[in-house]
Amino acid sequence: DQQVKQNSPSLSVQEGRISILNCDYTNSMFDYFLWYKKYPAEGPTFLISISSIKDKNEDGRFTVFLNKSAKHLSLHIVPSQPGDSAVYFCAASLLGGGSQGNLIFGKGTKLSVKP
Amino acid sequence: EPEVTQTPSHQVTQMGQEVILRCVPISNHLYFYWYRQILGQKVEFLVSFYNNEISEKSEIFDDQFSVERPDGSNFTLKIRSTKLEDSAMYFCASRGLPLETQYFGPGTRLLVL
């Protein structure tokens, strides 16, 4: 039962171009979504988040888009840099209704940015 | 910048032994979590802890697992009798109010032989 799905296990992009990572979810009750970046043998590092009341959030080179009707979110990285090469995890949580905000993760997408 | 810390970074143990994984969350945070990631799989929620008690737990978090906040800074995960399938990276995370972002520690790699 995958509530959060990242259907692309890997993505390869040329330096300077746009990277688009996609994520789908099934539970319409999720109200907060996050993207984490992870290197091997390290903990997930928070990148950017978006509340369900918004459809876009931007932070520097990173933009997250949320399409609630399609239960889909995406992370855009522009321009992509070799240092962005890592595994990117999409996560969803339920913060309302007394929930403790436990994160449900996707399986991750390994991004490779080639110089 | 405040960060979540975890010790040890690596732990090797024999099946059936008890292990305690330690975490120091960010100091003004109120919500604490444990997650694990089995090699090649996704990060999975284990347990959340708030106001000195477990608030939610997953089906993975059975009677072999327990959590404790023994003092004002540490947050521990105990596995009473380890099994081979407990081998994984264990991550601690914390979240403060009104912030909604969980910040993760570097993880403890547990290997059960």
Side-chain angles (χ1 to χ4, degrees):
Chain A
D1 173 48
Q2 286 188 71
Q3 295 191 65
V4 178
K5 300 178 188 178
Q6 292 177 258
N7 291 318
S8 299
S10 63
L11 175 68
S12 183
V13 170
Q14 205 66 34
E15 180 180 8
R17 306 295 291 266
I18 185 171
S19 296
I20 300 176
L21 298 103
N22 293 302
C23 178
D24 298 292
Y25 61 96
T26 57
N27 188 346
S28 57
M29 299 296 290
F30 288 140
D31 54 12
Y32 194 63
F33 304 89
L34 308 92
W35 284 93
Y36 286 85
K37 175 181 178 180
K38 187 179 180 304
Y39 295 110
E42 292 186 13
T45 301
F46 169 72
L47 270 180
I48 193 169
S49 62
I50 188 166
S51 164
S52 60
I53 62 173
K54 296 185 176 180
D55 54 20
K56 177 182 174 181
N57 189 25
E58 192 171 351
D59 184 2
R61 296 186 298 115
F62 302 92
T63 304
V64 55
F65 295 92
L66 175 62
N67 182 334
K68 287 192 293 293
S69 61
K71 297 194 186 70
H72 177 84
L73 63 154
S74 60
L75 175 68
H76 293 209
I77 306 173
V78 183
S80 302
Q81 299 172 354
D84 295 330
S85 298
V87 178
Y88 288 77
F89 289 96
C90 169
S93 72
L94 179 60
L95 291 182
S99 173
Q100 299 303 308
N102 316 325
L103 296 178
I104 309 298
F105 282 87
K107 289 187 174 181
T109 297
K110 183 175 182 180
L111 174 65
S112 299
V113 181
K114 302 191 182 307
Chain B
E1 185 176 321
E3 58 182 18
V4 178
T5 59
Q6 290 185 243
T7 54
S9 58
H10 295 79
Q11 174 100 41
V12 181
T13 190
Q14 295 290 323
M15 190 170 58
Q17 295 295 304
E18 174 183 288
V19 294
I20 297 176
L21 310 182
R22 291 182 167 80
C23 168
V24 179
I26 294 172
S27 63
N28 61 346
H29 281 187
L30 300 176
Y31 294 86
F32 313 110
Y33 305 83
W34 283 101
Y35 293 82
R36 78 172 185 190
Q37 184 182 28
I38 294 172
L39 188 63
Q41 299 187 23
K42 62 181 177 179
V43 178
E44 301 174 288
F45 165 74
L46 290 178
V47 66
S48 60
F49 192 86
Y50 171 71
N51 201 24
N52 283 321
E53 60 183 19
I54 290 174
S55 42
E56 287 185 51
K57 58 184 180 180
S58 72
E59 56 191 30
I60 302 169
F61 194 89
D62 62 22
D63 292 344
Q64 294 300 312
F65 291 88
S66 62
V67 289
E68 199 176 34
R69 189 153 160 83
D71 52 44
S73 58
N74 290 284
F75 179 50
T76 62
L77 174 69
K78 182 193 290 186
I79 309 175
R80 255 180 283 277
S81 178
T82 49
K83 303 188 283 285
L84 296 175
E85 54 266 37
D86 293 327
S87 296
M89 281 287 286
Y90 287 80
F91 297 106
C92 172
S94 69
R95 175 169 74 92
L97 281 177
L99 299 176
E100 297 157 334
T101 298
Q102 287 184 35
Y103 292 92
F104 284 76
T108 294
R109 180 173 294 282
L110 176 65
L111 179 60
V112 182
L113 302 176

